[in-house]
Amino acid sequence: MERQILAAGILSDRAIQALFDAGKLTSGRTLDADQIQPASLDLRLGARAYRVRASFLPGPTARVEDKLARLSMHEIDLSDGAVLETGCVYMVPLLESLALPQEISASANPKSSTGRLDIFTRVMTDYGQEFDKIAAGYNGPLWLEVSPRTFPIVARTGSRLSQIRFRQGHAVLGEDELSDLHKSETLVASENPNVSGGGIALSIDLMGQGDDALIGYRGKHHTAVVDVDKRAAQDVYDFWEPLYNRGSADLILDPDEFYILVSRESVHVPPLYAAEMTPFDPLVGEFRVHYAGFFDPGFGHTDAGGAGSRAVLEVRSHEVPFILEHGQIVGRLIYERMLERPAALYGSGLGSNYQAQGLKLSKHFRT
């Protein structure tokens, strides 16, 4: 019997809903109205968090809860909200669980607002050997490792810190395909796009915006808590130190400090594609850029109200101080095909927080 060759691509909002309808995705309670995004699903925290001594992976012979029995220090009830402290590691069962078809795999990333608060999150599965990677055909629960790095947070059952994207086959565009797509769709606003390493480069804007040449923000220490579910509840200056271009258009990243910066180029994700920022590349310097890597179809798309959308970059230096200069490459976007056009594009009536953005903090802070 001839084997059927399936199309390769990212599942759209319609296909994600179909997985729920078929019982391949389940949840402990009714879905939120905006939980299914154009090319991803927001994941929600369950009822309890477990404070653990250290991060871990279950490995090929164990479930997550088997390891928790040995590593958990205490349990925290999240039903009415609880404080998760900086520097601590928590494991939280998620409300959503999977029974994926054999041809469907998945990957996870922090939501944009999670990354901009410097909350380190990673999804884990039973018998998993990698973070944020869900093997094709996986059947079982999902867990989220949560570690606030800069600000203590308040989270509760139903809080959405992470997102998951489903794919069939291998749909990443090669460099020639990416170059051709850029020529027809202008993926990044650059006269000489750098396409290599499987992605298209983004560089940093350190010239600044506005009359005061604001280039970014540096997180403060010893702040109050941020409630992850409350919008515009905090004053910017209680949590952030603004940074300005004072004539040199560069910035020294101090080790273990957290920065919000912005790309020089605006970004465009056409409706039939999804994009992801690649993780830290040691070839560009001793720092990590962009915890939250998903860009949904329609991000920066003119018809979806996104003309001029920049990529906000969450930046953290590692062991040594590092000088960033204006125009320096800090990351790459890889593009994948969608299996179909989503029913709704990013920013089109979805209440998307970061469409048409420039340098912008998370939704929790008053502008």
Side-chain angles (χ1 to χ4, degrees):
M1 181 176 178
E2 185 177 347
R3 182 181 178 185
Q4 182 182 6
I5 299 177
L6 298 174
I10 301 294
L11 273 62
S12 72
D13 46 10
R14 294 186 184 94
I16 295 170
Q17 182 61 60
L19 289 176
F20 275 107
D21 295 341
K24 302 301 182 182
L25 291 176
T26 57
S27 182
R29 69 184 196 189
T30 304
L31 293 179
D32 297 341
D34 60 346
Q35 192 174 344
I36 299 177
Q37 298 293 315
S40 60
L41 170 72
D42 290 351
L43 299 171
R44 300 176 296 179
L45 301 183
R48 305 190 73 76
Y50 298 85
R51 168 80 164 88
V52 294
R53 287 184 287 163
S55 176
F56 64 88
L57 277 167
T61 62
R63 299 175 302 168
V64 175
E65 65 181 359
D66 296 333
K67 292 288 184 76
L68 277 179
R70 181 167 58 89
L71 296 174
S72 177
M73 299 168 64
H74 62 268
E75 298 181 18
I76 300 169
D77 185 358
L78 295 181
S79 56
D80 294 323
V83 174
L84 304 183
E85 300 283 358
T86 57
C88 298
V89 181
Y90 304 89
M91 291 298 303
V92 185
L94 296 172
L95 292 177
E96 288 70 39
S97 58
L98 308 179
L100 293 178
Q102 289 301 317
E103 67 275 12
I104 302 297
S105 63
S107 59
N109 254 313
K111 287 177 59 63
S112 295
S113 295
T114 305
R116 295 184 202 195
L117 288 176
D118 199 20
I119 306 169
F120 189 66
T121 70
R122 301 188 288 196
V123 169
M124 295 168 55
T125 64
D126 287 345
Y127 312 108
Q129 300 181 73
E130 293 181 279
F131 293 109
D132 287 336
K133 303 294 183 185
I134 296 91
Y138 174 74
N139 187 337
L142 297 174
W143 295 76
L144 189 67
E145 176 188 305
V146 181
S147 182
R149 303 291 303 278
T150 296
F151 311 126
I153 63 171
V154 172
R156 57 188 54 78
T157 304
S159 294
R160 291 147 57 173
L161 300 181
S162 187
Q163 55 193 343
I164 189 169
R165 180 172 279 180
F166 303 93
R167 58 177 51 80
Q168 181 171 281
H170 181 77
V172 176
L173 271 61
E175 291 181 13
D176 290 342
E177 295 172 300
L178 192 57
S179 295
D180 290 343
L181 182 62
H182 175 73
K183 289 176 184 177
S184 62
E185 296 282 1
T186 311
L187 302 179
V188 299
S190 173
E191 294 182 1
N192 299 298
N194 181 315
V195 179
S196 62
I200 189 165
L202 288 179
S203 63
I204 197 76
D205 179 3
L206 294 177
M207 292 300 294
Q209 302 178 25
D211 295 337
D212 54 3
L214 179 70
I215 62 172
Y217 298 90
R218 178 166 49 207
K220 292 185 175 181
H221 300 282
H222 314 298
T223 67
V225 299
V226 177
D227 189 317
V228 298
D229 297 321
K230 292 185 178 179
R231 299 187 182 211
Q234 303 290 352
D235 186 278
V236 169
Y237 300 105
D238 289 338
F239 292 81
W240 299 97
E241 174 192 355
L243 303 172
Y244 303 98
N245 174 5
R246 301 191 180 277
S248 59
D250 58 20
L251 176 66
I252 297 177
L253 302 177
D254 292 323
D256 297 323
E257 298 286 345
F258 180 67
Y259 300 84
I260 296 291
L261 305 172
V262 70
S263 68
R264 186 174 59 162
E265 302 85 3
S266 57
V267 173
H268 176 213
V269 183
L272 289 175
Y273 296 86
E276 183 174 355
M277 180 78 79
T278 55
F280 165 70
D281 181 352
L283 298 179
V284 301
E286 292 298 322
F287 58 92
R288 179 189 172 97
V289 172
H290 214 277
Y291 292 173
F294 289 161
F295 291 76
D296 271 350
F299 182 89
H301 192 59
T302 300
D303 291 345
S309 296
R310 310 250 207 125
V312 169
L313 307 169
E314 302 103 27
V315 179
R316 178 179 284 278
S317 186
H318 290 318
E319 300 300 326
V320 297
F322 188 86
I323 298 178
L324 279 181
E325 297 184 353
H326 178 73
Q328 184 171 340
I329 293 175
V330 292
R332 296 186 182 277
L333 285 173
I334 60 171
Y335 281 75
E336 297 181 76
R337 297 180 189 85
M338 297 290 298
L339 281 173
E340 62 179 346
R341 182 184 173 115
L345 297 178
Y346 185 89
S348 298
L350 296 176
S352 305
N353 296 298
Y354 307 119
Q355 186 71 296
Q357 70 181 358
L359 175 63
K360 189 173 183 181
L361 295 171
S362 72
K363 61 188 178 184
H364 308 92
F365 301 98
R366 294 187 291 272
T367 57

